[in-house]
Amino acid sequence: MAGFGEDWLNDRCDVGGIDSGLWVSGVDYVAGWREARVVADRLNRALVAAGFEPTAVRAVASTDEDGDGVVRLAARPGAVERLAGLLEECAHGDGGAA
Protein backbone atom coordinates (compact mmCIF):
# COMPACT_ATOMS: atom_id res chain seq x y z
CA MET A 1 0.00 0.00 0.00
CA ALA A 2 1.61 3.23 -1.13
CA GLY A 3 2.42 5.86 1.47
CA PHE A 4 2.12 3.65 4.51
CA GLY A 5 5.47 1.88 4.54
CA GLU A 6 5.94 -1.70 5.61
CA ASP A 7 4.78 -1.14 9.19
CA TRP A 8 1.28 0.14 8.40
CA LEU A 9 -0.20 -3.12 9.69
CA ASN A 10 1.57 -2.76 13.05
CA ASP A 11 -0.95 -0.23 14.33
CA ARG A 12 -1.42 -1.80 17.77
CA CYS A 13 -4.76 -3.20 16.60
CA ASP A 14 -3.48 -6.71 16.08
CA VAL A 15 -3.79 -9.56 18.53
CA GLY A 16 -0.62 -11.43 19.21
CA GLY A 17 2.08 -12.27 21.64
CA ILE A 18 2.09 -14.67 24.52
CA ASP A 19 0.24 -12.27 26.85
CA SER A 20 -2.45 -11.18 24.38
CA GLY A 21 -5.20 -13.10 26.18
CA LEU A 22 -4.24 -12.08 29.71
CA TRP A 23 -5.55 -9.23 31.79
CA VAL A 24 -2.93 -7.19 33.59
CA SER A 25 -3.64 -6.12 37.15
CA GLY A 26 -4.00 -2.35 37.48
CA VAL A 27 -4.86 -1.70 33.81
CA ASP A 28 -8.22 0.03 33.35
CA TYR A 29 -9.60 -1.96 30.42
CA VAL A 30 -13.16 -0.74 31.03
CA ALA A 31 -12.36 2.93 30.38
CA GLY A 32 -10.65 2.08 27.09
CA TRP A 33 -13.53 -0.17 26.08
CA ARG A 34 -16.10 2.53 26.90
CA GLU A 35 -14.26 5.05 24.74
CA ALA A 36 -14.07 2.53 21.90
CA ARG A 37 -17.75 1.66 22.34
CA VAL A 38 -18.85 5.26 21.80
CA VAL A 39 -17.02 5.60 18.50
CA ALA A 40 -17.89 2.05 17.40
CA ASP A 41 -21.57 2.91 17.90
CA ARG A 42 -21.10 6.08 15.86
CA LEU A 43 -19.43 4.15 13.06
CA ASN A 44 -22.16 1.50 13.14
CA ARG A 45 -24.84 4.19 12.77
CA ALA A 46 -22.92 5.66 9.81
CA LEU A 47 -22.58 2.22 8.21
CA VAL A 48 -26.33 1.59 8.52
CA ALA A 49 -27.04 5.06 7.10
CA ALA A 50 -24.80 4.17 4.13
CA GLY A 51 -26.90 1.08 3.48
CA PHE A 52 -24.80 -1.63 5.12
CA GLU A 53 -26.53 -4.42 7.02
CA PRO A 54 -25.23 -4.85 10.60
CA THR A 55 -24.87 -8.58 9.89
CA ALA A 56 -22.51 -7.81 7.00
CA VAL A 57 -20.24 -5.20 8.60
CA ARG A 58 -19.96 -3.77 12.09
CA ALA A 59 -17.53 -1.97 14.34
CA VAL A 60 -16.69 -3.80 17.55
CA ALA A 61 -15.28 -2.15 20.68
CA SER A 62 -12.24 -3.76 22.27
CA THR A 63 -9.02 -2.87 24.09
CA ASP A 64 -5.39 -3.62 23.57
CA GLU A 65 -3.01 -5.05 26.18
CA ASP A 66 -2.41 -1.57 27.62
CA GLY A 67 -6.11 -0.90 28.12
CA ASP A 68 -6.32 1.57 25.22
CA GLY A 69 -9.59 1.48 23.31
CA VAL A 70 -9.53 -0.23 19.92
CA VAL A 71 -12.30 -0.46 17.35
CA ARG A 72 -12.17 -3.52 15.15
CA LEU A 73 -14.11 -4.03 11.96
CA ALA A 74 -15.92 -7.36 11.68
CA ALA A 75 -17.23 -7.85 8.18
CA ARG A 76 -17.89 -10.15 5.30
CA PRO A 77 -15.46 -9.77 2.40
CA GLY A 78 -18.10 -8.35 0.05
CA ALA A 79 -19.04 -5.65 2.55
CA VAL A 80 -15.38 -4.74 3.03
CA GLU A 81 -14.95 -4.49 -0.73
CA ARG A 82 -17.93 -2.14 -0.93
CA LEU A 83 -16.73 -0.06 2.04
CA ALA A 84 -13.25 0.22 0.52
CA GLY A 85 -14.82 1.48 -2.70
CA LEU A 86 -16.81 4.12 -0.83
CA LEU A 87 -13.73 5.29 1.04
CA GLU A 88 -11.71 5.44 -2.17
CA GLU A 89 -14.44 7.52 -3.82
CA CYS A 90 -14.44 9.91 -0.85
CA ALA A 91 -10.66 10.15 -0.97
CA HIS A 92 -10.79 11.07 -4.64
CA GLY A 93 -13.49 13.69 -4.11
CA ASP A 94 -16.32 11.77 -5.76
CA GLY A 95 -18.64 12.35 -2.80
CA GLY A 96 -18.82 8.73 -1.74
CA ALA A 97 -21.79 7.74 -3.86
CA ALA A 98 -22.54 4.03 -3.55
Side-chain angles (χ1 to χ4, degrees):
M1 181 166 286
F4 288 96
E6 291 189 22
D7 291 332
W8 74 274
L9 286 175
N10 296 327
D11 59 0
R12 298 177 37 114
C13 292
D14 59 331
V15 177
I18 195 161
D19 298 325
S20 64
L22 302 176
W23 288 50
V24 177
S25 179
V27 175
D28 187 0
Y29 294 99
V30 175
W33 178 84
R34 284 183 182 146
E35 178 184 17
R37 173 77 187 269
V38 169
V39 295
D41 287 348
R42 180 179 179 198
L43 180 55
N44 284 327
R45 288 190 301 273
L47 289 166
V48 168
F52 289 94
E53 293 292 326
T55 56
V57 61
R58 68 186 181 285
V60 180
S62 186
T63 60
D64 66 10
E65 65 275 0
D66 296 323
D68 294 328
V70 174
V71 177
R72 302 177 193 283
L73 193 64
R76 295 185 177 153
V80 172
E81 184 69 28
R82 181 172 164 231
L83 180 58
L86 288 172
L87 292 171
E88 289 168 347
E89 289 175 12
C90 288
H92 293 110
D94 296 341

Coordinates of all heavy atoms in Angstrom, one line a residue:
M1 N 0.9 -1.2 0.0 CA 0.0 0.0 0.0 C 0.9 1.2 0.0 O 1.7 1.4 0.9 CB -0.9 0.0 1.2 CG -1.8 1.1 1.3 SD -3.2 0.9 2.5 CE -4.2 -0.3 1.6
A2 N 0.8 2.1 -1.0 CA 1.6 3.2 -1.1 C 1.4 4.2 0.0 O 0.3 4.5 0.4 CB 1.3 3.9 -2.5
G3 N 2.5 4.8 0.5 CA 2.4 5.9 1.5 C 2.4 5.4 2.9 O 2.5 6.2 3.8
F4 N 2.2 4.1 3.1 CA 2.1 3.7 4.5 C 3.4 3.0 5.0 O 3.5 2.8 6.2 CB 0.9 2.7 4.7 CG -0.4 3.4 4.6 CD1 -1.1 3.4 3.4 CD2 -0.9 4.0 5.7 CE1 -2.3 4.1 3.3 CE2 -2.2 4.6 5.6 CZ -2.8 4.7 4.4
G5 N 4.3 2.6 4.1 CA 5.5 1.9 4.5 C 5.1 0.4 4.9 O 4.0 0.0 4.9
E6 N 6.1 -0.3 5.3 CA 5.9 -1.7 5.6 C 5.3 -1.9 7.0 O 4.8 -3.0 7.2 CB 7.3 -2.4 5.5 CG 7.8 -2.5 4.1 CD 9.0 -3.5 4.0 OE1 9.1 -4.3 4.9 OE2 9.7 -3.3 3.0
D7 N 5.3 -1.0 7.8 CA 4.8 -1.1 9.2 C 3.4 -0.7 9.4 O 2.9 -0.5 10.5 CB 5.7 -0.4 10.2 CG 7.0 -1.1 10.3 OD1 7.1 -2.3 10.1 OD2 8.0 -0.4 10.7
W8 N 2.6 -0.4 8.3 CA 1.3 0.1 8.4 C 0.3 -0.8 9.1 O -0.6 -0.4 9.7 CB 0.7 0.6 7.1 CG 0.3 -0.5 6.1 CD1 1.1 -1.2 5.3 CD2 -1.0 -1.1 6.0 NE1 0.4 -2.1 4.6 CE2 -0.9 -2.1 5.0 CE3 -2.2 -0.8 6.6 CZ2 -2.0 -2.8 4.6 CZ3 -3.3 -1.5 6.2 CH2 -3.2 -2.5 5.2
L9 N 0.6 -2.1 9.0 CA -0.2 -3.1 9.7 C 0.1 -3.2 11.2 O -0.8 -3.7 11.9 CB 0.0 -4.5 9.1 CG -0.7 -4.7 7.7 CD1 -0.3 -6.1 7.2 CD2 -2.2 -4.6 7.8
N10 N 1.2 -2.7 11.6 CA 1.6 -2.8 13.0 C 1.0 -1.5 13.7 O 1.8 -0.7 14.3 CB 3.1 -2.9 13.2 CG 3.6 -4.1 12.6 OD1 3.0 -5.2 12.7 ND2 4.8 -4.1 12.1
D11 N -0.3 -1.4 13.8 CA -1.0 -0.2 14.3 C -1.5 -0.4 15.7 O -2.3 0.3 16.2 CB -2.1 0.2 13.4 CG -3.1 -0.9 13.2 OD1 -3.0 -2.0 13.8 OD2 -4.1 -0.7 12.5
R12 N -1.0 -1.5 16.4 CA -1.4 -1.8 17.8 C -2.8 -2.3 17.8 O -3.4 -2.4 18.8 CB -1.3 -0.6 18.7 CG 0.1 -0.2 18.9 CD 0.2 1.0 19.8 NE -0.7 1.0 20.9 CZ -0.4 1.0 22.1 NH1 0.9 0.9 22.5 NH2 -1.3 1.0 23.1
C13 N -3.4 -2.7 16.7 CA -4.8 -3.2 16.6 C -4.7 -4.7 16.4 O -5.8 -5.3 16.4 CB -5.6 -2.6 15.5 SG -5.9 -0.8 15.8
D14 N -3.6 -5.3 16.3 CA -3.5 -6.7 16.1 C -3.5 -7.5 17.4 O -3.3 -6.9 18.5 CB -2.2 -7.1 15.3 CG -1.0 -6.6 16.0 OD1 -1.0 -5.6 16.7 OD2 0.1 -7.3 15.8
V15 N -3.8 -8.7 17.3 CA -3.8 -9.6 18.5 C -2.6 -10.5 18.4 O -2.5 -11.2 17.4 CB -5.1 -10.4 18.7 CG1 -5.0 -11.3 19.8 CG2 -6.3 -9.4 18.8
G16 N -1.8 -10.5 19.3 CA -0.6 -11.4 19.2 C 0.2 -11.4 20.5 O -0.1 -10.7 21.4
G17 N 1.2 -12.2 20.5 CA 2.1 -12.3 21.6 C 1.6 -13.2 22.7 O 0.4 -13.6 22.7
I18 N 2.4 -13.7 23.5 CA 2.1 -14.7 24.5 C 1.1 -14.1 25.6 O 0.3 -14.9 26.1 CB 3.4 -15.2 25.2 CG1 3.0 -16.5 26.0 CG2 4.0 -14.2 26.1 CD1 4.2 -17.3 26.3
D19 N 1.1 -12.8 25.8 CA 0.2 -12.3 26.8 C -1.0 -11.7 26.3 O -1.8 -11.0 27.0 CB 1.0 -11.2 27.6 CG 2.2 -11.7 28.4 OD1 2.1 -12.9 28.8 OD2 3.2 -11.0 28.5
S20 N -1.3 -11.9 25.0 CA -2.4 -11.2 24.4 C -3.8 -11.5 25.0 O -4.7 -10.8 24.9 CB -2.5 -11.4 22.9 OG -2.7 -12.8 22.6
G21 N -3.9 -12.7 25.6 CA -5.2 -13.1 26.2 C -5.3 -12.9 27.7 O -6.3 -13.2 28.3
L22 N -4.3 -12.3 28.3 CA -4.2 -12.1 29.7 C -4.6 -10.7 30.1 O -4.3 -9.7 29.4 CB -2.8 -12.4 30.2 CG -2.3 -13.8 29.9 CD1 -0.9 -14.0 30.4 CD2 -3.2 -14.9 30.6
W23 N -5.3 -10.5 31.2 CA -5.6 -9.2 31.8 C -4.4 -8.9 32.8 O -4.0 -9.7 33.5 CB -6.9 -9.3 32.5 CG -8.0 -9.4 31.6 CD1 -8.2 -10.2 30.6 CD2 -9.2 -8.5 31.6 NE1 -9.4 -10.0 30.0 CE2 -10.1 -9.0 30.6 CE3 -9.6 -7.5 32.4 CZ2 -11.3 -8.4 30.3 CZ3 -10.9 -6.9 32.2 CH2 -11.7 -7.4 31.1
V24 N -4.0 -7.7 32.7 CA -2.9 -7.2 33.6 C -3.5 -6.4 34.8 O -4.3 -5.5 34.6 CB -1.9 -6.3 32.8 CG1 -0.9 -5.8 33.7 CG2 -1.4 -7.1 31.6
S25 N -3.2 -6.8 36.0 CA -3.6 -6.1 37.2 C -3.3 -4.6 37.1 O -2.2 -4.3 36.8 CB -3.0 -6.8 38.4 OG -3.4 -6.1 39.5
G26 N -4.2 -3.8 37.4 CA -4.0 -2.4 37.5 C -4.3 -1.6 36.2 O -4.2 -0.4 36.1
V27 N -4.6 -2.3 35.1 CA -4.9 -1.7 33.8 C -6.4 -1.5 33.7 O -7.1 -2.4 33.9 CB -4.3 -2.5 32.6 CG1 -4.8 -1.9 31.3 CG2 -2.8 -2.7 32.7
D28 N -6.8 -0.3 33.4 CA -8.2 0.0 33.4 C -8.7 -0.3 31.9 O -8.8 0.6 31.1 CB -8.5 1.5 33.7 CG -9.9 1.9 33.8 OD1 -10.8 1.0 33.6 OD2 -10.2 3.0 34.1
Y29 N -9.1 -1.5 31.7 CA -9.6 -2.0 30.4 C -11.0 -1.4 30.2 O -11.4 -1.1 29.0 CB -9.6 -3.5 30.3 CG -8.3 -4.1 30.4 CD1 -7.8 -4.7 31.5 CD2 -7.5 -4.2 29.2 CE1 -6.5 -5.3 31.6 CE2 -6.2 -4.8 29.2 CZ -5.8 -5.3 30.4 OH -4.5 -5.9 30.4
V30 N -11.8 -1.2 31.2 CA -13.2 -0.7 31.0 C -13.2 0.7 30.4 O -14.0 0.9 29.5 CB -13.9 -0.8 32.4 CG1 -15.3 -0.2 32.2 CG2 -14.0 -2.3 32.8
A31 N -12.4 1.6 30.9 CA -12.4 2.9 30.4 C -12.0 2.9 28.9 O -12.7 3.6 28.1 CB -11.4 3.8 31.2
G32 N -11.0 2.2 28.5 CA -10.7 2.1 27.1 C -11.8 1.5 26.3 O -12.1 2.0 25.2
W33 N -12.4 0.5 26.8 CA -13.5 -0.2 26.1 C -14.7 0.8 25.9 O -15.3 0.9 24.9 CB -14.0 -1.4 26.8 CG -15.1 -2.1 26.1 CD1 -15.1 -3.0 25.1 CD2 -16.5 -1.9 26.4 NE1 -16.4 -3.3 24.7 CE2 -17.3 -2.7 25.5 CE3 -17.2 -1.1 27.4 CZ2 -18.7 -2.7 25.6 CZ3 -18.6 -1.2 27.4 CH2 -19.3 -2.0 26.5
R34 N -15.0 1.6 27.0 CA -16.1 2.5 26.9 C -15.8 3.6 25.8 O -16.7 3.9 25.1 CB -16.3 3.2 28.3 CG -17.0 2.4 29.2 CD -17.3 3.1 30.5 NE -17.9 2.3 31.5 CZ -17.7 2.3 32.8 NH1 -16.9 3.2 33.3 NH2 -18.3 1.5 33.6
E35 N -14.6 4.1 25.8 CA -14.3 5.0 24.7 C -14.4 4.4 23.3 O -15.0 5.0 22.4 CB -12.8 5.5 24.9 CG -12.4 6.5 23.9 CD -10.9 6.9 24.1 OE1 -10.1 6.2 24.7 OE2 -10.5 7.9 23.5
A36 N -13.9 3.2 23.2 CA -14.1 2.5 21.9 C -15.5 2.3 21.6 O -15.9 2.3 20.4 CB -13.3 1.2 21.9
R37 N -16.3 2.0 22.6 CA -17.8 1.7 22.3 C -18.5 2.9 21.8 O -19.3 2.7 20.9 CB -18.4 1.2 23.7 CG -19.9 1.0 23.6 CD -20.3 -0.3 22.9 NE -21.7 -0.4 22.8 CZ -22.5 -1.0 23.6 NH1 -22.1 -1.5 24.7 NH2 -23.8 -1.1 23.3
V38 N -18.2 4.0 22.3 CA -18.9 5.3 21.8 C -18.6 5.5 20.3 O -19.5 5.7 19.5 CB -18.4 6.5 22.6 CG1 -18.9 7.8 22.0 CG2 -18.9 6.4 24.1
V39 N -17.3 5.4 19.9 CA -17.0 5.6 18.5 C -17.4 4.4 17.6 O -17.8 4.6 16.4 CB -15.5 6.0 18.3 CG1 -15.3 7.3 18.9 CG2 -14.6 5.0 18.8
A40 N -17.4 3.2 18.2 CA -17.9 2.1 17.4 C -19.4 2.2 17.1 O -19.8 1.9 16.0 CB -17.6 0.7 18.1
D41 N -20.1 2.7 18.1 CA -21.6 2.9 17.9 C -21.8 4.0 16.8 O -22.7 3.8 16.0 CB -22.2 3.3 19.2 CG -22.4 2.2 20.2 OD1 -22.2 1.0 19.8 OD2 -22.7 2.4 21.4
R42 N -21.0 5.0 16.9 CA -21.1 6.1 15.9 C -20.8 5.5 14.5 O -21.6 5.8 13.5 CB -20.1 7.2 16.2 CG -20.2 8.3 15.2 CD -19.3 9.5 15.5 NE -19.4 10.5 14.4 CZ -18.6 11.5 14.2 NH1 -17.5 11.6 15.0 NH2 -18.7 12.3 13.3
L43 N -19.8 4.7 14.4 CA -19.4 4.1 13.1 C -20.5 3.2 12.6 O -20.9 3.2 11.4 CB -18.1 3.4 13.1 CG -17.6 2.8 11.8 CD1 -17.6 3.7 10.7 CD2 -16.2 2.1 12.0
N44 N -21.1 2.4 13.5 CA -22.2 1.5 13.1 C -23.4 2.3 12.6 O -24.0 1.8 11.7 CB -22.5 0.6 14.3 CG -21.5 -0.5 14.5 OD1 -20.9 -1.0 13.6 ND2 -21.3 -0.9 15.8
R45 N -23.7 3.4 13.3 CA -24.8 4.2 12.8 C -24.5 4.7 11.4 O -25.4 4.7 10.5 CB -25.2 5.3 13.7 CG -25.8 4.9 15.0 CD -26.3 6.0 15.9 NE -25.3 7.0 16.2 CZ -24.5 6.9 17.3 NH1 -24.6 5.8 18.1 NH2 -23.6 7.8 17.6
A46 N -23.3 5.2 11.1 CA -22.9 5.7 9.8 C -23.0 4.5 8.8 O -23.4 4.8 7.6 CB -21.5 6.3 9.9
L47 N -22.5 3.4 9.1 CA -22.6 2.2 8.2 C -24.0 1.9 7.8 O -24.3 1.6 6.7 CB -21.9 1.0 8.8 CG -20.3 1.1 8.9 CD1 -19.8 0.0 9.8 CD2 -19.7 1.0 7.5
V48 N -24.9 1.9 8.8 CA -26.3 1.6 8.5 C -26.9 2.7 7.6 O -27.6 2.4 6.7 CB -27.1 1.4 9.8 CG1 -28.6 1.4 9.6 CG2 -26.7 0.2 10.5
A49 N -26.6 3.9 7.9 CA -27.0 5.1 7.1 C -26.5 5.0 5.7 O -27.2 5.4 4.7 CB -26.6 6.4 7.7
A50 N -25.4 4.3 5.5 CA -24.8 4.2 4.1 C -25.3 2.9 3.4 O -24.9 2.6 2.3 CB -23.3 4.1 4.2
G51 N -26.3 2.2 4.1 CA -26.9 1.1 3.5 C -26.3 -0.3 3.8 O -26.7 -1.3 3.2
F52 N -25.4 -0.3 4.7 CA -24.8 -1.6 5.1 C -25.7 -2.3 6.1 O -26.2 -1.7 7.0 CB -23.4 -1.4 5.7 CG -22.4 -1.1 4.7 CD1 -22.1 0.3 4.5 CD2 -21.7 -2.0 4.0 CE1 -21.1 0.6 3.6 CE2 -20.7 -1.7 3.1 CZ -20.4 -0.3 2.9
E53 N -25.8 -3.6 6.0 CA -26.5 -4.4 7.0 C -25.6 -4.7 8.2 O -24.4 -5.0 8.0 CB -27.0 -5.8 6.4 CG -28.0 -5.6 5.3 CD -29.4 -5.1 5.9 OE1 -29.7 -5.5 7.1 OE2 -30.1 -4.3 5.2
P54 N -26.1 -4.6 9.4 CA -25.2 -4.9 10.6 C -24.7 -6.3 10.6 O -23.6 -6.5 11.2 CB -26.1 -4.6 11.8 CG -27.2 -3.7 11.3 CD -27.4 -4.1 9.8
T55 N -25.4 -7.2 9.9 CA -24.9 -8.6 9.9 C -23.7 -8.7 8.9 O -23.0 -9.7 8.9 CB -26.0 -9.6 9.5 OG1 -26.6 -9.1 8.3 CG2 -27.1 -9.6 10.6
A56 N -23.6 -7.7 8.0 CA -22.5 -7.8 7.0 C -21.2 -7.1 7.4 O -20.1 -7.5 7.1 CB -23.0 -7.2 5.7
V57 N -21.4 -6.0 8.1 CA -20.2 -5.2 8.6 C -20.6 -4.5 9.9 O -21.7 -3.9 10.0 CB -19.7 -4.2 7.5 CG1 -20.8 -3.2 7.1 CG2 -18.5 -3.5 7.9
R58 N -19.7 -4.5 10.8 CA -20.0 -3.8 12.1 C -18.6 -3.4 12.8 O -17.7 -4.2 12.6 CB -20.9 -4.6 13.0 CG -20.2 -5.8 13.6 CD -21.2 -6.6 14.4 NE -20.6 -7.8 15.0 CZ -20.3 -8.9 14.3 NH1 -20.5 -9.0 13.0 NH2 -19.7 -9.9 14.9
A59 N -18.7 -2.4 13.5 CA -17.5 -2.0 14.3 C -17.7 -2.6 15.7 O -18.8 -2.6 16.3 CB -17.5 -0.5 14.4
V60 N -16.6 -3.1 16.3 CA -16.7 -3.8 17.5 C -15.7 -3.2 18.5 O -14.5 -3.0 18.2 CB -16.4 -5.3 17.4 CG1 -16.4 -6.0 18.7 CG2 -17.3 -5.9 16.4
A61 N -16.2 -2.8 19.7 CA -15.3 -2.1 20.7 C -14.4 -3.2 21.4 O -14.9 -4.3 21.6 CB -16.1 -1.4 21.7
S62 N -13.2 -2.9 21.6 CA -12.2 -3.8 22.3 C -11.2 -2.9 22.9 O -11.3 -1.7 23.0 CB -11.6 -4.7 21.2 OG -10.8 -5.7 21.9
T63 N -10.2 -3.6 23.5 CA -9.0 -2.9 24.1 C -7.8 -3.6 23.7 O -7.8 -4.8 23.4 CB -9.1 -2.8 25.6 OG1 -9.1 -4.1 26.2 CG2 -10.3 -2.0 26.1
D64 N -6.7 -2.9 23.8 CA -5.4 -3.6 23.6 C -4.8 -4.0 24.9 O -5.4 -3.8 26.0 CB -4.4 -2.8 22.7 CG -4.0 -1.5 23.4 OD1 -4.2 -1.3 24.6 OD2 -3.3 -0.7 22.8
E65 N -3.6 -4.6 24.9 CA -3.0 -5.1 26.2 C -2.7 -4.0 27.2 O -2.6 -4.2 28.4 CB -1.7 -5.9 25.9 CG -0.6 -5.1 25.3 CD -0.7 -4.9 23.7 OE1 -1.6 -5.4 23.1 OE2 0.2 -4.3 23.2
D66 N -2.7 -2.7 26.7 CA -2.4 -1.6 27.6 C -3.7 -0.9 28.1 O -3.7 0.0 28.9 CB -1.6 -0.5 26.9 CG -0.2 -1.0 26.6 OD1 0.4 -1.8 27.3 OD2 0.3 -0.7 25.5
G67 N -4.8 -1.5 27.7 CA -6.1 -0.9 28.1 C -6.6 0.2 27.2 O -7.6 0.8 27.5
D68 N -5.9 0.5 26.2 CA -6.3 1.6 25.2 C -7.5 1.0 24.4 O -7.4 -0.1 24.0 CB -5.2 2.0 24.3 CG -4.0 2.7 25.1 OD1 -4.3 3.3 26.1 OD2 -2.9 2.5 24.6
G69 N -8.5 1.9 24.1 CA -9.6 1.5 23.3 C -9.2 1.2 21.9 O -8.3 1.9 21.3
V70 N -9.8 0.2 21.3 CA -9.5 -0.2 19.9 C -10.9 -0.5 19.3 O -11.7 -1.2 19.9 CB -8.6 -1.5 19.9 CG1 -8.5 -2.0 18.4 CG2 -7.3 -1.2 20.5
V71 N -11.1 -0.1 18.1 CA -12.3 -0.5 17.3 C -11.9 -1.4 16.2 O -11.1 -1.0 15.4 CB -13.0 0.8 16.8 CG1 -14.3 0.4 16.0 CG2 -13.4 1.7 18.0
R72 N -12.5 -2.5 16.2 CA -12.2 -3.5 15.2 C -13.4 -3.6 14.2 O -14.5 -3.4 14.6 CB -11.9 -4.9 15.8 CG -10.8 -4.9 16.8 CD -10.5 -6.2 17.4 NE -9.7 -6.1 18.6 CZ -8.4 -6.1 18.5 NH1 -7.7 -6.0 17.4 NH2 -7.6 -6.0 19.6
L73 N -13.1 -3.9 13.0 CA -14.1 -4.0 12.0 C -14.3 -5.5 11.7 O -13.4 -6.2 11.4 CB -13.7 -3.3 10.7 CG -14.8 -3.1 9.6 CD1 -15.9 -2.2 10.1 CD2 -14.2 -2.6 8.3
A74 N -15.6 -6.0 11.9 CA -15.9 -7.4 11.7 C -16.9 -7.3 10.5 O -17.9 -6.7 10.5 CB -16.6 -8.0 12.9
A75 N -16.4 -8.0 9.4 CA -17.2 -7.9 8.2 C -17.0 -9.0 7.2 O -16.0 -9.7 7.3 CB -16.8 -6.6 7.5
R76 N -18.0 -9.2 6.4 CA -17.9 -10.1 5.3 C -17.1 -9.5 4.2 O -17.1 -8.3 4.0 CB -19.3 -10.5 4.8 CG -20.1 -11.2 5.9 CD -21.4 -11.7 5.3 NE -22.1 -12.4 6.4 CZ -23.4 -12.6 6.5 NH1 -24.2 -12.0 5.6 NH2 -23.9 -13.3 7.4
P77 N -16.3 -10.3 3.4 CA -15.5 -9.8 2.4 C -16.2 -8.9 1.4 O -15.6 -7.8 1.0 CB -14.9 -11.0 1.7 CG -14.9 -12.1 2.8 CD -16.2 -11.8 3.6
G78 N -17.4 -9.2 1.0 CA -18.1 -8.4 0.0 C -18.4 -7.0 0.6 O -18.3 -6.0 -0.1
A79 N -18.8 -6.9 1.9 CA -19.0 -5.6 2.5 C -17.8 -4.8 2.7 O -17.8 -3.6 2.5 CB -19.7 -5.9 3.9
V80 N -16.6 -5.5 2.9 CA -15.4 -4.7 3.0 C -15.0 -4.2 1.7 O -14.5 -3.0 1.6 CB -14.3 -5.7 3.6 CG1 -12.9 -5.0 3.5 CG2 -14.6 -6.1 5.0
E81 N -15.2 -5.0 0.6 CA -15.0 -4.5 -0.7 C -15.8 -3.2 -1.0 O -15.3 -2.3 -1.6 CB -15.3 -5.6 -1.7 CG -14.9 -5.3 -3.2 CD -13.4 -5.1 -3.4 OE1 -12.6 -5.8 -2.7 OE2 -13.1 -4.4 -4.3
R82 N -17.1 -3.3 -0.7 CA -17.9 -2.1 -0.9 C -17.5 -0.9 -0.1 O -17.5 0.2 -0.6 CB -19.4 -2.5 -0.6 CG -20.3 -1.4 -0.9 CD -21.8 -1.8 -0.7 NE -22.6 -0.6 -0.6 CZ -23.5 -0.4 0.3 NH1 -23.7 -1.3 1.2 NH2 -24.1 0.8 0.3
L83 N -17.2 -1.1 1.2 CA -16.7 -0.1 2.0 C -15.4 0.5 1.5 O -15.3 1.8 1.5 CB -16.6 -0.6 3.5 CG -16.1 0.5 4.5 CD1 -17.0 1.6 4.6 CD2 -15.9 -0.2 5.9
A84 N -14.5 -0.3 1.1 CA -13.3 0.2 0.5 C -13.5 1.1 -0.7 O -12.9 2.1 -0.9 CB -12.3 -0.9 0.2
G85 N -14.5 0.7 -1.5 CA -14.8 1.5 -2.7 C -15.4 2.8 -2.3 O -15.0 3.9 -2.9
L86 N -16.2 2.8 -1.3 CA -16.8 4.1 -0.8 C -15.7 5.0 -0.3 O -15.7 6.2 -0.6 CB -17.9 3.9 0.2 CG -19.2 3.3 -0.2 CD1 -20.1 2.9 1.0 CD2 -19.9 4.2 -1.1
L87 N -14.8 4.5 0.5 CA -13.7 5.3 1.0 C -12.8 5.8 -0.1 O -12.4 7.0 0.0 CB -13.0 4.5 2.1 CG -13.7 4.1 3.4 CD1 -12.9 3.2 4.2 CD2 -14.1 5.4 4.1
E88 N -12.5 5.0 -1.1 CA -11.7 5.4 -2.2 C -12.4 6.6 -2.9 O -11.7 7.5 -3.3 CB -11.4 4.3 -3.1 CG -10.4 3.3 -2.5 CD -10.3 2.0 -3.3 OE1 -11.2 1.7 -4.2 OE2 -9.4 1.2 -3.0
E89 N -13.7 6.5 -3.1 CA -14.4 7.5 -3.8 C -14.4 8.8 -3.0 O -14.2 9.9 -3.6 CB -15.9 7.1 -4.0 CG -16.0 6.0 -5.1 CD -17.5 5.5 -5.2 OE1 -18.4 6.2 -4.6 OE2 -17.7 4.5 -5.9
C90 N -14.5 8.7 -1.7 CA -14.4 9.9 -0.9 C -13.0 10.5 -0.9 O -12.9 11.7 -1.0 CB -14.8 9.6 0.6 SG -16.5 9.2 0.9
A91 N -12.0 9.7 -0.9 CA -10.7 10.2 -1.0 C -10.3 10.9 -2.3 O -9.5 11.8 -2.3 CB -9.7 9.0 -0.8
H92 N -11.0 10.5 -3.3 CA -10.8 11.1 -4.6 C -11.8 12.2 -4.9 O -11.8 12.7 -6.0 CB -10.9 10.0 -5.7 CG -9.8 9.0 -5.7 ND1 -10.0 7.7 -5.3 CD2 -8.4 9.2 -5.9 CE1 -8.8 7.1 -5.3 NE2 -7.9 7.9 -5.6
G93 N -12.6 12.6 -3.9 CA -13.5 13.7 -4.1 C -14.7 13.4 -4.9 O -15.4 14.3 -5.4
D94 N -15.1 12.1 -5.0 CA -16.3 11.8 -5.8 C -17.6 11.8 -4.9 O -18.7 11.5 -5.4 CB -16.2 10.4 -6.3 CG -15.0 10.3 -7.4 OD1 -14.6 11.3 -7.8 OD2 -14.6 9.2 -7.6
G95 N -17.5 12.2 -3.7 CA -18.6 12.4 -2.8 C -19.1 11.1 -2.1 O -20.0 11.1 -1.4
G96 N -18.5 10.0 -2.4 CA -18.8 8.7 -1.7 C -20.1 8.1 -2.2 O -20.7 7.3 -1.4
A97 N -20.6 8.3 -3.4 CA -21.8 7.7 -3.9 C -21.6 6.2 -4.0 O -20.6 5.8 -4.4 CB -22.2 8.3 -5.2
A98 N -22.6 5.5 -3.5 CA -22.5 4.0 -3.5 C -22.9 3.5 -4.9 O -23.7 3.9 -5.6 CB -23.5 3.5 -2.5

